[in-house]
C-alpha cells in the first residue's frame, strides 16, 4: 500500500540493502484496544529515564505531591525533567532496581498514590498552540519532560531545536513499528489519530519545516486508514498552516524503523556514517512522541504515562495498556491474567533490539514500549556453534557491514580492528544474529565491544583529566612556593630595615654629639 494525500500518483520508495522478515507475532495483541491499567499501590520513578544526565530530585520523604508536579529537574542540555505520575505521598528517595538487563540499583523516587489522581494546579491549556513560536513549542516540550518514545529516549526538545544548526526541510514520522509483537503504536494511531496528527504538525512547526512524511508499515492497514482519515478531517487546519502531509505505506521489512534506513527508503538519500539525518535536512520522530507533544501543548500535561504492549507466548491475555510511569511490570502481568507457563525470557521492548530483564520488579519508564514474556518455543536455539562463513549475516546487515569478521576480531581482542571494519556504524538491530545458522550471538559481541570501547574512552578521559589536575596542582604548588619565597624575602628586608631603624633610635643625642666632636 502506497498512499499520498497531496498527490495522485503513488509515492516513490527506494529499496535498502539487507534486513530480515521475522514472524511478526502481532496478531496476539493487534486487535486489543488500549486499556488503562488500574492504579498500582506504589510507583518507583527513576531519575534516569532518558539519554543524558539524570534529573536532580526536588522532593523529600513525607512530601505530598499532585499529578504532573515536578519531582526532579533536568541537568544540562541533554537531560529531561521527571514529573509525578499521580497524586500521593513521597515514601522515599533512594535506590531501586533499574529497568535494565543489569538490574543494578539507580536513584529512584518512590510514590504512594492517594487514589485521587489530582492534577497539579496551573496547567496551561491552549485552544490553538500553533500561535506559539518555534522556541515556545520546543520549550514547552522540554518542560513536559518528553523524550523519544520509540525506545531511544533522546530528549525531544533537543531534536526540535536542530533547526538552529541545520538546514531542515522534512519531518519524517516513524510509524513503522517493525519489531515483532509490538502493537502499541498501531493502536495509538488507530484510536488517537487526530491527536497524533496535531502533535506531528506542532513538531513540524517547531522545526520550521512544512513537508511531513508519515510512514507506516503496510501490515497496519487500519492505522494507515485512520491517519489518512485524520488528515482529511484536519485538512482546513493543514491548509491554513501550509503543511504538506503525505501518508506512506512502507514494505514490511525489519529494521524499517531504523531512522537512517527509513529516510533512505523514503528519499533515496543515505545518511553519512556517524552523522545525523539532520545533516541531509531531515528529522525523524516517533508517533507516540507526537501524541505526548499534543498532550503537552494542548492540555499542558507533562509525560507521566505511556501506552505499551504486553505480549508473548507466556502471557495469558496479551494487551495494549496505558500505564503510569513507575508502575512495576508485575502489575502489568497480573492485569493480563498472569502467565500461562513460566517464561524462559523477559524482554523490555521487542525481541530483536529489546533488553532482557532480570524480573518484573523493575518499573515502567518513558522508553518502555513493550514487555514480552517468551517461552522456549518462541526462542531460537542458544547453543553456539563455530562460524561456517556462510555470509548470511553479511547479506542481512542493513548497514553493509561484515559481522562475521567484526565478531572474529572482537573474540581475538582486536577491538581497534573491529572499529576499522565499521563497528561504530552497527545499529545493533540483531538481523545478523537472527539469520546466523550457527546461533552466534553476534549483536551481543558488538554491544560488548562498544561498551568496552566506551569504558576505555572513559578511562582515557579520566586519565587525561587526572593529568590535567596533577599538572594544575604542580603549577599551583610552584606558585605557592614562589609567593612564599617572595613574601619571605620581603619580610626579611622589612626586618632588616626595622633593625636599622631601631638601632638608630637607640643612639642618644649626647652620643651623637660626642661622635661629632671626635670627628
Amino acid at each position: 500500500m502506497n498512499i499520498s494525500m497531496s498527490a495522485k500518483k503513488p509515492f516513490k520508495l527506494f529499496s535498502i540493502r539487507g534486513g530480515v522478515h521475522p514472524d511478526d507475532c502481532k496478531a496476539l495483541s493487534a486487535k486489543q484496544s488500549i486499556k488503562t491499567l488500574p492504579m498500582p499501590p506504589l510507583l518507583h520513578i527513576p531519575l534516569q529515564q532518558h539519554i543524558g544526565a539524570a534529573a536532580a530530585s526536588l522532593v523529600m520523604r513525607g512530601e505530598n505531591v499532585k499529578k504532573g508536579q515536578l519531582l526532579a529537574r533536568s541537568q544540562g542540555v541533554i537531560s529531561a525533567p521527571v514529573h509525578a505520575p499521580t497524586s500521593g505521598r513521597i515514601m522515599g528517595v533512594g535506590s531501586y532496581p533499574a529497568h535494565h538487563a543489569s538490574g543494578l540499583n539507580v536513584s529512584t523516587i518512590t510514590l504512594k498514590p492517594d487514589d485521587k489522581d489530582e492534577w497539579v494546579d496551573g496547567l496551561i491549556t491552549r485552544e490553538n498552540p500553533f500561535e506559539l513560536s518555534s522556541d515556545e513549542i520546543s520549550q514547552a516540550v522540554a518542560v513536559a519532560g518528553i523524550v523519544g518514545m520509540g525506545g531511544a529516549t533522546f530528549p525531544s526538545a533537543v531534536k526540535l531545536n536542530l533547526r538552529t544548526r541545520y538546514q531542515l526541510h522534512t519531518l519524517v514520522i516513524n510509524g513503522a513499528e517493525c519489531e515483532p509483537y509490538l502493537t502499541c503504536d498501531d493502536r495509538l494511531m488507530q484510536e488517537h489519530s487526530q491527536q497524533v496528527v496535531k502533535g506531528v504538525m506542532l513538531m513540524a512547526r517547531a522545526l520550521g519545516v512544512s513537508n511531513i512524511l508519515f510512514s507506516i508499515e503496510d501490515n497496519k492497514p487500519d492505522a494507515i486508514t485512520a491517519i489518512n482519515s485524520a488528515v482529511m478531517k484536519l485538512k482546513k487546519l493543514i491548509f491554513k498552516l501550509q503543511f504538506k502531509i503525505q501518508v506512506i505505506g512502507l514494505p514490511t521489512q525489519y529494521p524499517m524503523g531504523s531512522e537512517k534506513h527509513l529516510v533512505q527508503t523514503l528519499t533515496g538519500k543515505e545518511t553519512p556514517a556517524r552523522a545525523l539525518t539532520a545533516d541531509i535536512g531531515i528529522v525523524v520522530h516517533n508517533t507516540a512522541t507526537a501524541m505526548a507533544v499534543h498532550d503537552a501543548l494542548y492540555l499542558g500535561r507533562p509525560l507521566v504515562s505511556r501506552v505499551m504492549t504486553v505480549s508473548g507466548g507466556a502471557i495469558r491475555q496479551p494487551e495494549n495498556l496505558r500505564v503510569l510511569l513507575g508502575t512495576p511490570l508485575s502489575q502489568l502481568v497480573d492485569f493480563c491474567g498472569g502467565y500461562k507457563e513460566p517464561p524462559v525470557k523477559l524482554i523490555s521492548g521487542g525481541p530483536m533490539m529489546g533488553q532482557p530483564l532480570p524480573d518484573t520488579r523493575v518499573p515502567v519508564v518513558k522508553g518502555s514500549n513493550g514487555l514480552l514474556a517468551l517461552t522456549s518455543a518462541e526462542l531460537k536455539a542458544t547453543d553456539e556453534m563455530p562460524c561456517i562463513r556462510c555470509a548470511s549475516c553479511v547479506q542481512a546487515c542493513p548497514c553493509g557491514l561484515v559481522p562475521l569478521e567484526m565478531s572474529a576480531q572482537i573474540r581475538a581482542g582486536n577491538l581497534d580492528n573491529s572499529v576499522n571494519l565499521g563497528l561504530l556504524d552497527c545499529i545493533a538491530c540483531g538481523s545478523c544474529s537472527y539469520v546466523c545458522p550457527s546461533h552466534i550471538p553476534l549483536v551481543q559481541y558488538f554491544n560488548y565491544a562498544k561498551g568496552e570501547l566506551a569504558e576505555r574512552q572513559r578511562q582515557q578521559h579520566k586519565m587525561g583529566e587526572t593529568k590535567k589536575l596533577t599538572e594544575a596542582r604542580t603549577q599551583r604548588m610552584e606558585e605557592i612556593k614562589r609567593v612564599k619565597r617572595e613574601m619571605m624575602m620581603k619580610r626579611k628586608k622589612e626586618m632588616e630595615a626595622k633593625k636599622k631603624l631601631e638601632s638608630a633610635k637607640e643612639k642618644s643625642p649626647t652620643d651623637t654629639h660626642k661622635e661629632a666632636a671626635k670627628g
Side-chain angles (χ1 to χ4, degrees):
M1 189 177 294
N2 204 345
I3 303 168
S4 170
M5 291 304 298
S6 61
K8 293 182 179 179
K9 62 181 181 180
F11 189 93
K12 181 182 178 181
L13 296 175
F14 297 84
S15 60
I16 57 174
R17 62 156 292 129
V20 293
H21 296 85
D23 294 336
D24 64 21
C25 302
K26 293 180 182 289
L28 292 171
S29 59
K31 298 300 181 181
Q32 300 299 320
S33 60
I34 299 170
K35 299 175 182 176
T36 300
L37 188 76
M39 188 72 67
L42 283 176
L43 294 171
H44 303 284
I45 308 149
L47 301 182
Q48 181 76 63
Q49 300 189 47
H50 49 267
I51 289 177
S57 176
L58 300 175
V59 294
M60 298 177 64
R61 181 178 181 179
E63 188 174 341
N64 291 317
V65 298
K66 292 185 178 181
K67 187 172 185 175
Q69 181 176 327
L70 184 65
L71 298 182
R73 60 177 175 81
S74 59
Q75 296 195 97
V77 177
I78 310 298
S79 184
V82 175
H83 301 80
T86 188
S87 56
R89 189 177 188 84
I90 302 297
M91 302 304 292
V93 182
S95 295
Y96 194 79
H99 191 108
H100 187 268
S102 67
L104 296 175
N105 288 349
V106 295
S107 295
T108 302
I109 297 171
T110 299
L111 172 65
K112 184 177 181 180
D114 59 12
D115 295 327
K116 296 179 181 178
D117 205 33
E118 183 179 0
W119 280 97
V120 67
D121 297 330
L123 295 180
I124 301 174
T125 59
R126 303 177 179 89
E127 290 186 6
N128 186 15
F130 293 99
E131 295 175 348
L132 299 175
S133 67
S134 295
D135 287 337
E136 289 171 328
I137 293 174
S138 296
Q139 180 60 25
V141 170
V143 169
I146 299 172
V147 301
M149 296 175 69
T153 67
F154 192 85
S156 299
V158 177
K159 289 183 75 171
L160 294 179
N161 283 325
L162 290 176
R163 68 185 182 282
T164 62
R165 296 165 48 203
Y166 299 91
Q167 294 293 322
L168 305 176
H169 53 75
T170 300
L171 169 63
V172 169
I173 299 301
N174 185 353
E177 197 171 40
C178 60
E179 277 272 12
Y181 292 93
L182 302 185
T183 57
C184 51
D185 283 356
D186 184 2
R187 296 307 309 182
L188 198 62
M189 289 185 284
Q190 290 185 52
E191 298 180 37
H192 300 280
S193 56
Q194 289 195 46
Q195 293 96 318
V196 169
V197 172
K198 287 179 180 178
V200 168
M201 291 191 290
L202 284 166
M203 290 194 291
R205 184 168 179 81
L207 290 166
V209 302
S210 59
N211 188 41
I212 301 169
L213 303 179
F214 202 126
S215 56
I216 308 170
E217 276 194 340
D218 55 17
N219 62 349
K220 305 172 186 62
D222 293 338
I224 293 175
T225 300
I227 295 298
N228 266 311
S229 178
V231 170
M232 291 301 296
K233 290 176 181 177
L234 296 170
K235 63 181 180 181
K236 289 184 179 180
L237 179 61
I238 294 171
F239 179 77
K240 179 181 178 181
L241 297 171
Q242 299 182 333
F243 286 126
K244 176 186 177 184
I245 301 181
Q246 296 170 280
V247 183
I248 302 159
L250 300 170
T252 301
Q253 178 182 350
Y254 181 86
M256 189 57 72
S258 165
E259 67 173 28
K260 292 184 178 181
H261 296 94
L262 177 58
V263 166
Q264 187 175 356
T265 300
L266 295 171
T267 68
K269 297 179 180 178
E270 186 171 355
T271 306
R274 302 175 204 175
L276 302 174
T277 57
D279 285 290
I280 57 175
I282 301 169
V283 172
V284 181
H285 275 286
N286 175 264
T287 51
T289 309
M291 183 69 189
V293 169
H294 169 275
D295 290 350
L297 272 295
Y298 275 92
L299 307 177
R301 295 178 177 178
L303 180 57
V304 296
S305 66
R306 67 157 300 142
V307 177
M308 58 185 296
T309 300
V310 183
S311 189
I315 296 292
R316 191 172 300 279
Q317 177 56 58
E319 298 281 3
N320 292 294
L321 303 176
R322 181 171 294 282
V323 187
L324 295 179
L325 301 181
T327 301
L329 294 178
S330 57
Q331 298 289 316
L332 282 66
V333 174
D334 291 344
F335 182 83
C336 294
Y339 297 128
K340 291 190 294 186
E341 60 180 275
V344 174
K345 192 172 188 180
L346 293 171
I347 297 178
S348 173
M352 301 296 286
M353 296 185 71
Q355 293 190 32
L357 293 174
D359 54 54
T360 55
R361 288 187 303 154
V362 299
V364 173
V365 293
K366 295 178 181 181
S368 304
N369 56 357
L371 169 63
L372 305 183
L374 304 180
T375 64
S376 58
E378 295 172 290
L379 296 172
K380 291 179 64 177
T382 56
D383 292 336
E384 182 178 345
M385 294 181 288
C387 175
I388 60 174
R389 303 190 69 80
C390 65
S392 295
C393 57
V394 178
Q395 295 175 356
C397 180
C399 298
L401 305 178
V402 187
L404 61 93
E405 292 294 346
M406 290 197 302
S407 63
Q409 294 297 329
I410 292 168
R411 287 196 294 268
N414 302 322
L415 299 190
D416 291 337
N417 289 347
S418 69
V419 171
N420 295 335
L421 291 169
L423 173 66
L424 299 182
D425 295 318
C426 169
I427 62 173
C429 67
S431 295
C432 54
S433 298
Y434 180 81
V435 300
C436 179
S438 296
H439 311 302
I440 301 172
L442 295 164
V443 74
Q444 292 184 24
Y445 284 117
F446 305 150
N447 288 336
Y448 156 77
K450 289 177 183 178
E452 183 65 24
L453 289 169
E455 180 61 27
R456 289 184 185 180
Q457 290 178 348
R458 282 192 291 270
Q459 291 298 326
Q460 289 176 356
H461 177 74
K462 185 177 179 179
M463 290 174 62
E465 290 299 310
T466 302
K467 184 179 180 180
K468 288 180 183 178
L469 291 172
T470 302
E471 292 174 349
R473 184 180 185 279
T474 301
Q475 292 177 0
R476 190 166 61 251
M477 296 303 294
E478 289 295 332
E479 181 66 15
I480 291 172
K481 290 179 181 179
R482 184 186 66 78
V483 172
K484 284 184 176 180
R485 284 196 301 268
E486 291 179 354
M487 290 179 64
M488 290 176 65
M489 293 295 294
K490 183 179 179 180
R491 188 176 300 171
K492 184 177 180 180
K493 290 179 180 179
E494 290 176 349
M495 292 294 291
E496 290 176 352
K498 185 177 180 180
K499 286 180 180 179
K500 288 181 180 180
L501 181 62
E502 289 175 351
S503 178
K505 287 182 179 179
E506 287 175 357
K507 293 180 180 181
S508 64
T510 306
D511 294 337
T512 304
H513 289 307
K514 289 180 178 180
E515 290 179 2
K518 289 179 180 180

